[in-house]
Coordinates of all heavy atoms in Angstrom, one line a residue:
Chain P
R59 N 121.8 90.4 117.5 CA 120.4 90.1 117.7 C 119.9 90.7 119.1 O 118.7 91.0 119.2 CB 120.2 88.6 117.6 CG 120.3 88.1 116.2 CD 120.5 86.6 116.1 NE 119.3 85.9 116.6 CZ 118.2 85.7 116.0 NH1 118.1 86.1 114.8 NH2 117.2 85.1 116.5
A62 N 119.1 94.1 118.3 CA 117.9 94.2 117.5 C 116.7 93.9 118.4 O 115.6 94.3 118.1 CB 118.0 93.2 116.4
L64 N 115.9 90.7 119.2 CA 115.5 89.3 118.8 C 115.9 88.3 119.9 O 115.4 87.2 119.9 CB 116.0 88.9 117.4 CG 115.5 89.8 116.3 CD1 116.2 89.5 115.0 CD2 114.0 89.7 116.1
P84 N 111.6 94.8 119.4 CA 112.3 95.2 118.3 C 111.7 96.5 117.5 O 112.4 97.4 117.2 CB 112.3 94.0 117.3 CG 112.2 92.9 118.2 CD 111.3 93.3 119.3
K85 N 110.3 96.5 117.4 CA 109.7 97.5 116.7 C 109.8 98.9 117.3 O 109.7 99.9 116.7 CB 108.2 97.2 116.4 CG 107.4 97.1 117.7 CD 106.0 96.6 117.2 CE 105.1 96.3 118.5 NZ 104.5 97.5 119.1
I89 N 115.2 100.5 114.9 CA 116.4 99.9 114.2 C 115.9 99.3 113.0 O 114.7 99.0 112.8 CB 117.1 98.9 115.1 CG1 116.1 98.0 115.7 CG2 117.9 99.5 116.1 CD1 116.1 96.5 115.4
A90 N 116.8 99.0 112.0 CA 116.4 98.1 110.8 C 117.5 97.1 110.7 O 118.6 97.4 111.1 CB 116.3 99.0 109.6
M91 N 117.0 95.9 110.3 CA 118.0 94.8 110.2 C 118.1 94.2 108.8 O 117.0 94.0 108.2 CB 117.7 93.8 111.3 CG 118.7 92.7 111.4 SD 118.7 92.0 113.0 CE 119.6 90.5 112.8
F93 N 119.2 90.7 107.0 CA 119.5 89.4 107.4 C 120.4 88.7 106.3 O 120.4 89.1 105.1 CB 118.3 88.5 107.5 CG 117.4 88.9 108.7 CD1 116.5 90.0 108.5 CD2 117.5 88.2 109.9 CE1 115.7 90.4 109.6 CE2 116.7 88.6 110.9 CZ 115.8 89.7 110.8
N95 N 120.2 85.7 105.0 CA 119.4 85.2 103.8 C 118.2 86.1 103.4 O 117.3 85.7 102.9 CB 118.8 83.8 104.2 CG 118.6 83.8 105.7 OD1 118.2 84.8 106.3 ND2 118.6 82.6 106.3
A97 N 115.6 87.3 104.1 CA 114.3 87.3 104.8 C 113.3 88.1 104.1 O 112.5 88.8 104.8 CB 114.4 87.6 106.3
L98 N 113.2 88.1 102.8 CA 112.2 88.8 102.1 C 110.9 88.0 102.2 O 111.0 86.8 102.2 CB 112.6 89.0 100.6 CG 113.9 89.8 100.3 CD1 114.1 89.9 98.9 CD2 113.7 91.1 100.9
Y99 N 109.8 88.7 102.2 CA 108.5 88.0 102.2 C 108.2 87.4 100.8 O 108.0 88.2 99.9 CB 107.4 88.9 102.7 CG 107.7 89.6 104.0 CD1 107.8 91.0 104.0 CD2 108.0 88.9 105.1 CE1 108.1 91.7 105.2 CE2 108.3 89.6 106.3 CZ 108.3 91.0 106.4 OH 108.7 91.6 107.5
P100 N 108.2 86.1 100.6 CA 108.2 85.6 99.3 C 106.9 85.9 98.5 O 106.8 85.9 97.3 CB 108.4 84.0 99.5 CG 108.2 83.8 100.9 CD 108.3 85.1 101.6
H101 N 105.8 86.1 99.3 CA 104.5 86.3 98.6 C 104.2 87.8 98.3 O 103.2 88.1 97.7 CB 103.4 85.8 99.5 CG 103.4 86.3 100.9 ND1 104.4 85.9 101.8 CD2 102.7 87.3 101.5 CE1 104.2 86.5 103.0 NE2 103.2 87.3 102.8
M102 N 105.2 88.6 98.6 CA 105.0 90.1 98.4 C 105.9 90.5 97.3 O 107.0 90.0 97.2 CB 105.2 90.9 99.7 CG 104.3 90.6 100.8 SD 104.7 91.7 102.1 CE 103.9 90.9 103.5
F110 N 106.0 97.2 103.7 CA 105.3 96.5 104.8 C 105.5 97.1 106.1 O 104.5 97.4 106.8 CB 105.8 95.0 104.9 CG 105.0 94.1 105.8 CD1 103.7 93.9 105.7 CD2 105.7 93.6 106.8 CE1 103.0 93.1 106.5 CE2 105.1 92.7 107.8 CZ 103.7 92.5 107.6
G111 N 106.8 97.4 106.5 CA 107.0 98.1 107.7 C 106.3 99.4 107.9 O 105.9 99.8 109.0
L114 N 102.6 99.0 108.5 CA 102.3 98.7 109.9 C 102.4 99.9 110.7 O 101.8 100.0 111.8 CB 103.3 97.6 110.3 CG 103.1 96.2 109.7 CD1 104.1 95.3 110.2 CD2 101.7 95.7 109.9
P143 N 110.2 88.2 95.0 CA 111.6 87.8 95.3 C 112.1 86.7 94.5 O 113.3 86.7 94.1 CB 111.5 87.5 96.8 CG 110.4 88.3 97.3 CD 109.4 88.4 96.2
K144 N 111.3 85.7 94.1 CA 111.8 84.6 93.4 C 112.2 84.9 92.0 O 112.9 84.1 91.3 CB 110.8 83.4 93.4 CG 109.6 83.6 92.6 CD 108.7 82.4 92.6 CE 107.3 82.7 92.0 NZ 106.4 81.6 92.3
R151 N 118.1 90.7 95.3 CA 117.4 90.4 96.6 C 118.1 91.1 97.7 O 117.5 91.7 98.7 CB 117.4 88.9 96.9 CG 116.4 88.1 96.1 CD 116.6 86.6 96.4 NE 116.0 85.9 95.3 CZ 116.1 84.5 95.2 NH1 116.8 83.9 96.0 NH2 115.5 84.0 94.1
R158 N 114.5 97.7 102.1 CA 113.5 97.5 103.2 C 114.0 98.2 104.5 O 113.2 98.8 105.3 CB 113.2 96.0 103.4 CG 112.1 95.8 104.4 CD 111.7 94.4 104.4 NE 112.8 93.5 104.9 CZ 112.6 92.2 105.0 NH1 111.5 91.6 104.7 NH2 113.6 91.4 105.4
R162 N 112.7 102.8 106.3 CA 112.2 103.0 107.6 C 113.0 104.2 108.2 O 112.5 104.7 109.2 CB 112.6 101.8 108.5 CG 112.0 100.5 107.9 CD 110.8 100.1 108.7 NE 111.0 100.2 110.1 CZ 111.6 99.3 110.8 NH1 112.0 98.2 110.3 NH2 111.8 99.5 112.1
Chain V
H222 N 113.4 83.4 110.1 CA 113.8 84.8 109.9 C 112.7 85.7 109.3 O 112.8 86.8 109.5 CB 115.1 84.8 109.0 CG 115.0 84.1 107.7 ND1 115.7 83.0 107.4 CD2 114.1 84.4 106.7 CE1 115.3 82.6 106.2 NE2 114.4 83.4 105.8
L223 N 111.7 85.0 108.7 CA 110.6 85.8 108.2 C 109.9 86.5 109.4 O 109.5 87.7 109.3 CB 109.6 85.0 107.4 CG 110.2 84.6 106.0 CD1 109.1 83.8 105.3 CD2 110.6 85.7 105.2
Y224 N 109.7 85.7 110.5 CA 109.0 86.3 111.6 C 109.9 87.4 112.3 O 109.4 88.3 112.8 CB 108.7 85.1 112.6 CG 107.6 84.2 112.1 CD1 107.9 82.9 111.8 CD2 106.3 84.6 112.0 CE1 107.0 82.0 111.3 CE2 105.3 83.8 111.6 CZ 105.6 82.5 111.2 OH 104.7 81.7 110.7
E225 N 111.2 87.1 112.3 CA 112.1 88.1 112.9 C 112.0 89.4 112.1 O 112.0 90.5 112.6 CB 113.5 87.5 113.0 CG 113.6 86.4 114.0 CD 114.9 85.7 114.1 OE1 115.8 86.0 113.1 OE2 115.2 85.0 115.0
A226 N 112.0 89.2 110.8 CA 112.0 90.5 109.9 C 110.7 91.2 110.2 O 110.7 92.4 110.3 CB 112.1 90.0 108.4
A227 N 109.7 90.5 110.4 CA 108.3 91.1 110.7 C 108.3 91.7 112.0 O 107.8 92.8 112.2 CB 107.2 90.1 110.6
D228 N 109.1 91.1 113.0 CA 109.2 91.7 114.3 C 109.8 93.1 114.2 O 109.4 94.0 114.8 CB 110.1 90.9 115.2 CG 109.3 89.8 116.0 OD1 108.1 90.0 116.2 OD2 109.9 88.7 116.3
I229 N 110.9 93.1 113.4 CA 111.6 94.4 113.3 C 110.7 95.4 112.5 O 110.8 96.6 112.7 CB 113.0 94.1 112.7 CG1 113.9 93.4 113.7 CG2 113.6 95.4 112.1 CD1 115.2 93.0 113.2
D230 N 110.0 94.9 111.5 CA 109.1 95.8 110.8 C 107.9 96.3 111.6 O 107.2 97.1 111.2 CB 108.5 95.0 109.6 CG 109.4 95.2 108.3 OD1 110.1 96.2 108.3 OD2 109.3 94.3 107.4
G231 N 107.8 95.7 112.8 CA 106.8 96.3 113.7 C 105.4 95.5 113.7 O 104.4 96.0 114.0
A232 N 105.5 94.2 113.3 CA 104.3 93.4 113.2 C 103.9 92.8 114.6 O 104.8 92.4 115.3 CB 104.4 92.3 112.2
N233 N 102.7 92.8 114.9 CA 102.2 92.1 116.1 C 101.8 90.6 115.7 O 102.0 90.2 114.6 CB 101.1 92.8 116.8 CG 99.9 93.0 115.9 OD1 99.6 92.1 115.1 ND2 99.1 94.0 116.1
H236 N 99.3 90.4 112.8 CA 99.9 90.7 111.5 C 100.8 89.6 111.1 O 100.7 89.2 109.9 CB 100.9 91.9 111.7 CG 100.2 93.2 112.0 ND1 100.7 94.1 112.9 CD2 99.0 93.7 111.5 CE1 99.9 95.2 112.9 NE2 98.9 94.9 112.1
M239 N 98.6 86.8 109.7 CA 97.9 87.0 108.5 C 98.8 87.3 107.3 O 98.6 86.9 106.2 CB 97.0 88.4 108.7 CG 95.9 88.3 109.7 SD 94.8 86.9 109.4 CE 94.0 87.4 107.8
H240 N 100.0 87.9 107.6 CA 100.9 88.3 106.5 C 102.0 87.3 106.3 O 102.6 87.4 105.2 CB 101.4 89.7 106.7 CG 100.3 90.8 106.7 ND1 99.7 91.1 105.5 CD2 99.8 91.5 107.7 CE1 98.8 92.0 105.8 NE2 98.9 92.4 107.1
I241 N 102.3 86.4 107.2 CA 103.3 85.5 107.0 C 102.8 84.1 107.1 O 102.9 83.3 106.1 CB 104.5 85.7 108.0 CG1 105.1 87.1 107.7 CG2 105.5 84.6 107.8 CD1 106.1 87.5 108.7
P244 N 100.0 83.2 104.2 CA 100.4 83.1 102.9 C 101.5 82.0 102.7 O 101.5 81.3 101.7 CB 101.1 84.5 102.6 CG 100.6 85.4 103.6 CD 100.2 84.5 104.8
M245 N 102.3 81.8 103.8 CA 103.4 80.8 103.7 C 102.8 79.3 103.6 O 103.4 78.4 103.2 CB 104.4 80.9 104.7 CG 105.2 82.2 104.6 SD 106.1 82.4 103.1 CE 107.3 81.2 103.3
V327 N 98.3 80.9 95.5 CA 99.3 80.1 96.2 C 100.7 80.7 96.0 O 101.0 81.0 94.9 CB 99.2 78.7 95.7 CG1 100.3 77.9 96.4 CG2 97.9 78.0 96.1
H328 N 101.4 80.8 97.1 CA 102.7 81.4 97.1 C 103.7 80.3 97.4 O 103.7 79.7 98.5 CB 102.9 82.5 98.0 CG 101.8 83.5 97.9 ND1 101.7 84.4 96.9 CD2 100.8 83.7 98.7 CE1 100.6 85.2 96.9 NE2 100.0 84.8 98.0
Y329 N 104.6 80.0 96.4 CA 105.6 79.0 96.7 C 106.9 79.7 97.2 O 107.2 80.8 96.8 CB 105.8 78.1 95.5 CG 104.6 77.3 95.2 CD1 103.7 77.7 94.2 CD2 104.4 76.1 95.9 CE1 102.6 77.0 93.9 CE2 103.3 75.3 95.6 CZ 102.4 75.8 94.6 OH 101.3 75.0 94.3
Q330 N 107.6 79.0 98.0 CA 108.9 79.5 98.5 C 109.9 79.8 97.3 O 109.7 79.2 96.3 CB 109.6 78.4 99.4 CG 109.2 78.5 100.8 CD 110.0 79.5 101.5 OE1 110.4 80.6 101.0 NE2 110.5 79.2 102.7
Y331 N 110.8 80.7 97.6 CA 111.7 81.1 96.5 C 113.1 80.4 96.8 O 113.9 80.4 95.9 CB 111.8 82.5 96.2 CG 112.3 83.4 97.4 CD1 113.6 83.5 97.6 CD2 111.4 83.9 98.3 CE1 114.1 84.3 98.7 CE2 111.8 84.7 99.3 CZ 113.2 84.9 99.5 OH 113.6 85.6 100.6
I332 N 113.3 79.9 97.9 CA 114.6 79.4 98.2 C 114.6 77.9 98.2 O 113.6 77.3 98.7 CB 115.2 79.8 99.6 CG1 115.3 81.4 99.5 CG2 116.6 79.2 99.8 CD1 115.7 81.9 100.8

Side-chain angles (χ1 to χ4, degrees):
Chain P
R59 290 166 61 82
L64 297 172
K85 67 187 169 79
I89 45 119
M91 184 156 167
F93 294 82
N95 34 25
L98 299 179
Y99 310 119
H101 53 285
M102 297 185 196
F110 186 62
L114 293 178
K144 69 176 167 195
R151 283 177 200 170
R158 185 168 63 177
R162 306 255 314 279
Chain V
H222 57 245
L223 291 183
Y224 291 110
E225 291 177 348
D228 272 333
I229 287 173
D230 269 339
N233 60 29
H236 290 140
M239 297 305 293
H240 294 293
I241 295 174
M245 296 303 288
V327 173
H328 309 287
Y329 294 98
Q330 271 274 43
Y331 62 85
I332 300 173

